[in-house]
Amino acid sequence: MITYMIKSLFKHPFTFSITIRSKTTSAQYVASRARDATFEKLMDKYKNFVKVIAIQDLILSNPNKTPPCISLDFLSKLSQKLHLNRGAPSFLRKYPHIFHIFYDPAKSQAFCRLTDTALEISRKEEEAVNASLPLVVDRLVRLLFMSTSKSLPLRAVFKVWRELGLPDDFEDSVIVKNPNLFRLCDGNEPRTHVLKLVGEFPGNHFTAVVENWRVTECCREDCSVDRMDIRYSFKHVYPPGMRLSKNFRAKVKEWQSLPYLGPYEDLMEKKKKTKAGLKGLEKRAVAIVHEFLSLTVEKMVEVEKISHFRNCFGIDMNIRDLFLDHPGMFYLSTKGKRHTVFLREAYERGRLIDPNPVYDVRRKLLDLVFLGRHDMLTSKSRSVEIDKSEESGSENENVD
């Protein structure tokens, strides 16, 4: 089949490939995608941020110790699993604003704890999550409503609990406390559970995020399009400077006008395998993953995690290829040995355009990852000055 190549005419950092159906392998398709320097720079640090979060969770899972800490010996045994290529001590020393290594003479062991700054960020994140519980419940209800059976495997929800802003004890604090909405049932396999939506909702109860965008577009003072013209459209954002051919623009315009069933509309019967029917199913799949990303705290998720929902949402196609087929809506990064997808329209210059309290707190920890070892000398100088001032103050008190 045909692969449409869009390349800039002059010196341009982007090369762009839109594949309708290609004979290339999936790996080749990923490798041929256009790179976005802003997202790649963000992911370059985010890949280590994921490791920082994993270590932070391990430390905080020892609440009996004050402050919570973990031995370096234990952490070193997990180095391979956590992808700490140069070992745990080396990784921890890269982020002195987050981790503090100390030696316990009583146990003859080195331990690691969170710095006061990192511990405070963790506490504020927990507060932000608890404060947004009504919103979290709504997210979970919407996720279940998009499922064809109004149910999801609990293990799939566990995969994205942090992305959805759920508390780490969401089984008790969210599911059990809302029996009018959720019910846990035994799955088909041993030791598996299924989360079911038991609340009754009318068909038009939920509005997809893209619908809000369409209304906003039509209400703009400089709007030159009719609502009927964009009733099936999605927002497309391309990297600055990327030049799009007339052929590509025509393809996008044709796709934008294609009718489809929204993510909260019931798919009563499978579409016939006609060209128009397949296009409609593909656009519905795009609408579902678009809504899924819109429901996440950071408008991003690992492809492997969202793939666990593919069958539940009735998506018959490869989700990763779906993201690659629509580069104006999604950006796929392969940094950190994982494929992560971003909702393009939600970001500007590497940050969320419309942030939320949980994102704001997490961003503070990410900023410490960006900081690395920088500013440590200044921090130490300040602490020394504070110590000296406290000492001189106490001496003056004694003199008095």
Side-chain angles (χ1 to χ4, degrees), residues 15 26 62 65 76 79 105 110 115 123 127 140 143 157 183 214 218 233 245 270 284 320 353:
T15 57
S26 186
N62 288 305
K65 297 180 180 180
S76 294
S79 291
T115 62
R123 186 186 63 79
E127 288 179 355
L140 196 54
L143 211 61
V157 180
R183 181 186 300 149
R214 290 167 188 159
C218 290
S233 297
S245 70
K270 287 193 173 181
R284 173 180 167 83
R320 183 176 61 180
I353 296 172

Side-chain angles (χ1 to χ4, degrees), residues 56 60 114-131 361 364-365:
Q56 174 188 268
L60 295 176
L114 295 176
T115 62
D116 292 343
T117 303
L119 205 57
E120 179 66 10
I121 290 173
S122 175
R123 186 186 63 79
K124 286 184 177 179
E125 181 182 347
E126 185 178 0
E127 288 179 355
V129 168
N130 290 332
V361 178
K364 289 179 181 178
L365 188 62

Side-chain angles (χ1 to χ4, degrees), residues 121 124-129 131-132 135 139 297 352 354-364:
I121 290 173
K124 286 184 177 179
E125 181 182 347
E126 185 178 0
E127 288 179 355
V129 168
S132 62
L135 183 60
R139 285 178 190 149
V297 171
L352 279 190
D354 186 18
N356 53 75
V358 178
Y359 169 83
D360 285 336
V361 178
R362 290 180 183 175
R363 182 72 200 201
K364 289 179 181 178

Side-chain angles (χ1 to χ4, degrees), residues 6-72:
I6 302 167
K7 296 184 177 180
S8 61
L9 299 176
F10 304 103
K11 292 181 180 179
H12 191 270
F14 300 104
T15 57
F16 192 37
S17 169
I18 299 294
T19 304
I20 306 303
R21 284 290 183 269
S22 175
K23 290 183 179 179
T24 58
T25 65
S26 186
Q28 288 174 326
Y29 193 13
V30 172
S32 67
R33 76 194 188 286
R35 305 298 199 278
D36 189 316
T38 303
F39 283 112
E40 289 301 309
K41 182 181 178 181
L42 175 62
M43 273 306 300
D44 196 45
K45 295 297 180 183
Y46 206 91
K47 64 183 181 182
N48 285 336
F49 178 69
V50 173
K51 300 173 187 178
V52 165
I53 289 293
I55 297 172
Q56 174 188 268
D57 289 347
L58 285 171
I59 293 172
L60 295 176
S61 65
N62 288 305
N64 296 330
K65 297 180 180 180
T66 307
C69 59
I70 190 172
S71 72
L72 256 62

Side-chain angles (χ1 to χ4, degrees), residues 69-231:
C69 59
I70 190 172
S71 72
L72 256 62
D73 287 343
F74 178 73
L75 197 56
S76 294
K77 292 176 183 177
L78 299 174
S79 291
Q80 189 172 359
K81 186 177 181 180
L82 296 173
H83 304 292
L84 308 179
N85 300 329
R86 296 186 179 181
S90 176
F91 182 82
L92 296 173
R93 291 190 184 102
K94 285 172 65 178
Y95 304 106
H97 293 281
I98 302 172
F99 302 114
H100 175 68
I101 299 174
F102 65 96
Y103 184 78
D104 187 345
K107 296 184 178 180
S108 300
Q109 271 188 310
F111 286 81
C112 172
R113 67 172 177 83
L114 295 176
T115 62
D116 292 343
T117 303
L119 205 57
E120 179 66 10
I121 290 173
S122 175
R123 186 186 63 79
K124 286 184 177 179
E125 181 182 347
E126 185 178 0
E127 288 179 355
V129 168
N130 290 332
S132 62
L133 277 181
L135 183 60
V136 166
V137 170
D138 180 68
R139 285 178 190 149
L140 196 54
V141 168
R142 286 171 175 267
L143 211 61
L144 286 160
F145 202 84
M146 284 195 291
S147 168
T148 54
S149 63
K150 304 298 181 281
S151 63
L152 293 168
L154 187 62
R155 65 174 180 270
V157 180
F158 265 112
K159 288 276 185 181
V160 294
W161 71 272
R162 190 183 293 276
E163 284 81 355
L164 293 174
L166 290 165
D168 53 8
D169 64 339
F170 73 89
E171 278 189 85
D172 297 321
S173 59
V174 175
I175 296 173
V176 174
K177 286 191 176 181
N178 292 278
N180 59 317
L181 296 174
F182 310 116
R183 181 186 300 149
L184 270 180
C185 306
D186 291 332
N188 296 327
E189 300 175 11
R191 294 184 178 181
T192 60
H193 295 87
V194 175
L195 180 61
K196 291 190 175 182
L197 182 66
V198 295
E200 293 292 332
F201 300 93
N204 60 349
H205 183 78
F206 298 109
T207 301
V209 171
V210 68
E211 291 286 351
N212 297 330
W213 170 76
R214 290 167 188 159
V215 172
T216 303
E217 282 294 293
C218 290
C219 293
R220 284 170 48 189
E221 292 183 3
D222 59 342
C223 180
S224 59
V225 294
D226 186 81
R227 178 168 172 77
M228 295 299 290
D229 294 335
I230 62 169
R231 58 178 172 164

